[in-house]
Amino acid sequence: GWKYAISTTIINFNNEKMQITWAARELFPSKNVSFSYTFDEGKTKIWKPCPTYLLDQDYNSGCLFKTEGPTLAMSIRNSNGSEELFSKTLKSDFYIKPNPPENVTFFWKADTVTVSCKKPERAVKCLRLELQYKSKFDKDWQSRTSKCCSVGEQGFDPRKCYSFRVRLKRLVPYCNVVNYSSDWEAETFWMNGTLLDSCDDDIKSQSNTVIVLSCLLAVLLMMLILLILLCKWQRLQKSVMPAIPDPKYVFTDLFSDHNGNFQEWIDKTDHAMTQTKLEYEEPECIIEAESQQEDEKNSDKQGPQEKIFTFSRAAENNDSKAAQIACLMPTSSTMGSFAGFQILMNDDMYVML
């Protein structure tokens, strides 16, 4: 009876390869054993030696071989095969471990995610598709299982990044005596229907956004401070150091007409000033005095309240014998001295009273 009590681990990989393992050091200390198997049924069996041994510290601890039928018979013997140490017959279909799902697709709509995979060629009724997911705020995986080969779940927040993984499971006890599931398909990361490299990218992107906004705010604040300081500096500069006028705006003709040639400009300016002076220069007053006595007599006769000034028209008739005063009309600066006087005009003279 001890031959059937030895603990072994039996795995049928997708009904393609068989793996039988045992605890070599505990069951057969200091011994090396051999393994043989057959998928033949009935009295006539052809035993095959193990093609590939699994080792544990140089001791045979398992065998890997091809799956060739639904019924497996195996035997463990001593190193030379003369003594059988363990034997067992089993249904290989009850130990199937499926392959990971293939061609996995994700469909995200609103808050619902639907995951599908390629339909296996055999034993679809014995398979279930399991979906696990968690957000970056969850510690544990959330699980959802459905018939092969589609599973859906609701309640996903489009603002969160989720990790997804799927695998296939065999039904127990209807199809398997051992609860075998496939390896997990590669983990993927999704956010609102967008595939990401990892959920860390979402955290980094948010951090980068915060950093960029902070930098922009700091730059705007610095520009505002600089603008205020510049305005204050301009006011201070105007009050302490008044602006020196630019000569090119004061002396426009120096730069526009003479291209900055100061000597040429000053010569022309002096000439223009001379012309103006000559044009507006008052002619000399020519006074031909008659006898002082006659003037005094006339002045005595007229009294102190009236004074008669005789302006001869000698400039026109060239009469040099008569006493004359040829002057221009008084300018604005001398008009005050002539206030209250009247001018009388005769044929030969002007009389100012």
Side-chain angles (χ1 to χ4, degrees), residues 99-104 117-118 129 166-168 182-185:
N99 287 338
E102 298 178 354
N103 299 334
V104 179
C117 68
K118 180 181 177 181
L129 183 62
V166 292
R167 67 180 179 181
L168 290 173
S182 70
D183 294 334
W184 290 104
E185 178 66 11

Side-chain angles (χ1 to χ4, degrees), residues 277-289:
K277 184 176 181 181
L278 291 175
E279 183 176 354
Y280 293 98
E281 185 177 6
E282 297 181 357
E284 295 180 358
C285 293
I286 303 172
I287 303 174
E288 294 185 9

